[in-house]
Structure formats: structure tokens, C-alpha cells
């Protein structure tokens, strides 16, 4: 009997239209989230620096020691230049270790959040 049916509210009509169109309804937990947020270079750099502050420190140390080593090389002081190049290798090792530790910490935090 068509006359006995309750008229659907507009929200019920939208839900039935979405289901019939093959559009899944967003879960309640995700409502209000901006899923596709553009992140600029500055925002990403600041976020990554906060996540792992030792990587930028290692990068700056590597660049500084490399520059000093090249200056010493240009001056002709081979001994100081060689020392600076060895220090550059140590700074690069520190940077790589910082990256690995940062990734491990991030993976652990993600794993603990899922538990």
C-alpha cells in the first residue's frame, strides 16, 4: 500500500540516494576531517623538523664541515682539509643514524597507536 508509507526526511532521502549511487557514507569518526589537505614546503619542513630534529642539525653540520674543508683545501692547507673531510664523514654518519633512529621511533609510535 503506497499510501501507508511514511514520507522520508531529506537526510533519509540523501542517504538512500548515496547508497543507490554507490557512494559510501563517511564514518562518524571521520566527519569534519579534511582528508586531502595540501601541505606546503614550509609546513612540511617544520613538521618533519619537529618529528626528527637531529636530521637538520646533522645536515647543517655536514654542510659547515664541508665548507670549512673546501676553504682549507683552497688555502693549500692539506692537513686541515683532510681533517675536515674526515669530520664530514662523521657528520654524514650522524645524519644517517638520526634518520634511521627517527624512522624507528616513528614506526614504533605508529605501532603503539594501533594497539
Amino acid at each position: 500500500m503506497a499510501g501507508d508509507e511514511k514520507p522520508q526526511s531529506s537526510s533519509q532521502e540523501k542517504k538512500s540516494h548515496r547508497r543507490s549511487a554507490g557512494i559510501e557514507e563517511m564514518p562518524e569518526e571521520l566527519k569534519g576531517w579534511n582528508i586531502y589537505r595540501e601541505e606546503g614546503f614550509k609546513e612540511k619542513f617544520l613538521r618533519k623538523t619537529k618529528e626528527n630534529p637531529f636530521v637538520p642539525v646533522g645536515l647543517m653540520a655536514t654542510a659547515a664541515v664541508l665548507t670549512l674543508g673546501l676553504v682549507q683545501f683552497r688555502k693549500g692547507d692539506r692537513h686541515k682539509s683532510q681533517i675536515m673531510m674526515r669530520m664530514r664523514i662523521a657528520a654524514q654518519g650522524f645524519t644517517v643514524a638520526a634518520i634511521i633512529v627517527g624512522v624507528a621511533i616513528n614506526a614504533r609510535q605508529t605501532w603503539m597507536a594501533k594497539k
Side-chain angles (χ1 to χ4, degrees):
M1 294 188 182
D4 291 1
E5 292 181 30
K6 279 193 336 190
Q8 291 184 344
S9 69
S10 64
S11 65
Q12 288 176 336
E13 289 174 3
K14 287 178 185 177
K15 286 179 183 178
S16 79
H17 174 70
R18 285 183 187 147
R19 288 184 188 131
S20 65
I23 301 172
E24 293 288 327
E25 178 136 354
M26 185 177 286
E28 288 294 322
E29 303 89 44
L30 298 179
K31 286 187 178 176
W33 282 24
N34 188 359
I35 296 173
Y36 300 105
R37 188 177 76 82
E38 291 292 323
E39 185 177 41
F41 175 78
K42 183 179 177 182
E43 292 87 10
K44 185 174 183 179
F45 178 77
L46 291 174
R47 180 177 55 85
K48 292 288 188 178
T49 301
K50 287 177 185 174
E51 287 176 7
N52 196 352
F54 293 113
V55 172
V57 170
L59 291 172
M60 288 186 284
T62 302
V65 173
L66 175 63
T67 302
L68 289 173
L70 291 174
V71 167
Q72 295 302 321
F73 181 75
R74 182 86 169 153
K75 287 182 179 179
D77 190 350
R78 297 179 76 145
H79 180 69
K80 285 185 183 176
S81 174
Q82 190 68 351
I83 291 172
M84 290 294 131
M85 290 303 122
R86 289 178 183 154
M87 288 178 65
R88 176 187 59 89
I89 298 297
Q92 284 177 321
F94 173 81
T95 305
V96 170
I99 291 170
I100 292 170
V101 168
V103 167
I105 289 171
N106 192 10
R108 180 177 166 86
Q109 288 174 347
T110 304
W111 180 69
M112 294 298 280
K114 288 183 179 180
K115 274 190 156 186

